[in-house]
Amino acid sequence: MMTWSEALRLAPLGVVSEAGTALTPNVEAKAAGQKLFDASVGELELLQEKLFAHSTGGGRESVLLVLQGMDTAGKGGTVKRVMAQMNPQGIVYAAFKKPTPEELEHDFLWRIRPRVPAPGQIGIFDRSHYEDVLVPAVQHTLGQSALEARYEEINAFEQELVDSGVTLVKVFLHLGKEEQLARLLSRLDRPEKHWKFTEADVRSRGDWAALQRAYSDALTATNTDAAPWFVVPADRKWYSSLAVQQLLLERMRPLDLTWPPADYDVDEQRRLLLAT
């Protein structure tokens, strides 16, 4: 079996196909997927603790999970399921939506940089700096040359992050159009989910083809060796969570994380403690 990174990585110069959103690479059935997910929770929790502990000894490593996807692709649910057992003190979450007037006065990465995780943290971008190329591409507020300039800025920014010790895990939750329709209708059928539905959800369905092209262009242009893209089929929510969990594990295992040594005499402190 291929690793999850091998199975899900966007091929160099590849395009995001509209097919395959219901596939489940590397696992045959939900029961097997749930078994693997449950068995992996402890290891991911341990790696998070070790990452944080390593930073207290001077380690500069951190992890940044970048999640992109169409509306209802399951970004929030995936975060909830994958991070449920982790220590929230070591997690930083950010969601980037329409820029504010103040943010528009600056370079598009100005609002992103302060939210990059510090050493020892796992950061989550539920939507990210990629919104600043996807939306302009669909709404035609930037020309092709301006978009390509932003792609280059993103690549330079992400290389800068990697060089500073950030492990990037960039995931596109690839949702099918019919599955999105079913999820949107489900929100309308359930009064407790009405707050999650907006009129913009209907309008964005008309932009489906343009959004698919924008994603394909952006992902292809920013699919680098330092910060590759992983395309996760998202029609099955259980699979999305499993794939993101396994990608995090595969990217975190190679990190040279060590438990910091005690800066005191352990035996002496034990003797003093027992004397109390």
Side-chain angles (χ1 to χ4, degrees):
M1 185 178 75
M2 292 188 291
T3 67
W4 290 82
S5 299
E6 291 169 340
L8 298 173
R9 179 171 179 181
L10 178 65
L13 302 181
V15 296
V16 180
S17 169
E18 291 195 39
T21 59
L23 298 177
T24 59
N26 272 13
V27 64
E28 293 183 358
K30 182 177 180 178
Q34 188 62 54
K35 183 177 180 179
L36 176 58
F37 185 92
D38 292 343
S40 301
V41 167
E43 182 184 1
L44 190 55
E45 185 180 11
L46 177 62
L47 282 170
Q48 184 209 13
E49 182 180 7
K50 197 170 186 179
L51 176 70
F52 184 83
H54 183 68
S55 71
T56 67
R60 63 175 189 164
E61 290 82 0
S62 65
V63 176
L64 176 56
L65 172 63
V66 174
L67 286 176
Q68 288 289 154
M70 305 289 282
D71 292 335
T72 76
K75 296 179 291 296
T78 297
V79 170
K80 182 179 179 180
R81 289 186 288 271
V82 175
M83 304 298 175
Q85 302 303 316
M86 292 190 187
N87 188 332
Q89 292 180 321
I91 296 175
V92 289
Y93 173 91
F96 298 95
K97 299 181 180 180
K98 183 178 179 179
T100 66
E102 180 186 15
E103 290 169 345
L104 288 172
E105 293 177 357
H106 300 271
D107 175 84
F108 76 99
L109 292 173
W110 179 81
R111 64 176 180 158
I112 308 295
R113 291 182 180 277
R115 309 304 296 274
V116 172
Q121 294 180 329
I122 295 179
I124 302 164
F125 282 1
D126 179 350
R127 299 188 186 272
S128 66
H129 41 296
Y130 285 92
E131 294 299 299
D132 293 300
V133 291
L134 296 167
V135 174
V138 173
Q139 297 182 351
H140 305 292
T141 56
L142 287 178
Q144 187 60 34
S145 61
L147 287 171
E148 290 176 358
R150 286 197 173 187
Y151 297 151
E152 292 180 5
E153 286 187 68
I154 288 173
N155 287 338
F157 169 62
E158 291 180 348
Q159 183 65 60
E160 175 188 326
L161 294 183
V162 171
D163 291 343
S164 69
V166 180
T167 295
L168 276 164
V169 185
K170 301 193 301 186
V171 173
F172 174 56
L173 295 177
H174 194 20
L175 184 69
K177 189 174 184 180
E178 292 307 308
E179 177 62 20
Q180 188 200 50
L181 177 61
R183 292 183 186 184
L184 289 172
L185 289 172
S186 177
R187 290 181 179 180
L188 291 176
D189 291 339
R190 301 169 60 186
E192 73 275 16
K193 296 294 183 181
H194 286 177
W195 66 274
K196 299 183 73 174
F197 187 95
T198 69
E199 294 176 357
D201 292 329
V202 177
R203 291 194 298 270
S204 69
R205 294 276 295 175
D207 292 330
W208 182 273
L211 274 166
Q212 292 293 315
R213 288 193 299 272
Y215 265 114
S216 187
D217 290 346
L219 269 61
T220 300
T222 58
N223 184 38
T224 64
D225 288 336
W229 273 104
F230 301 101
V231 179
V232 171
D235 282 6
R236 293 178 169 86
K237 295 179 181 180
W238 65 265
Y239 182 80
S240 299
S241 299
L242 173 65
V244 169
Q245 179 200 58
Q246 295 301 310
L247 287 169
L248 281 170
L249 283 170
E250 288 186 358
R251 299 288 280 175
M252 291 179 70
R253 284 171 182 149
L255 298 179
D256 187 20
L257 304 176
T258 57
W259 298 109
D263 58 357
Y264 50 82
D265 186 319
V266 175
D267 291 335
E268 175 66 9
Q269 293 304 310
R270 180 180 288 108
R271 183 187 66 78
L272 293 172
L273 183 62
L274 291 172
T276 60

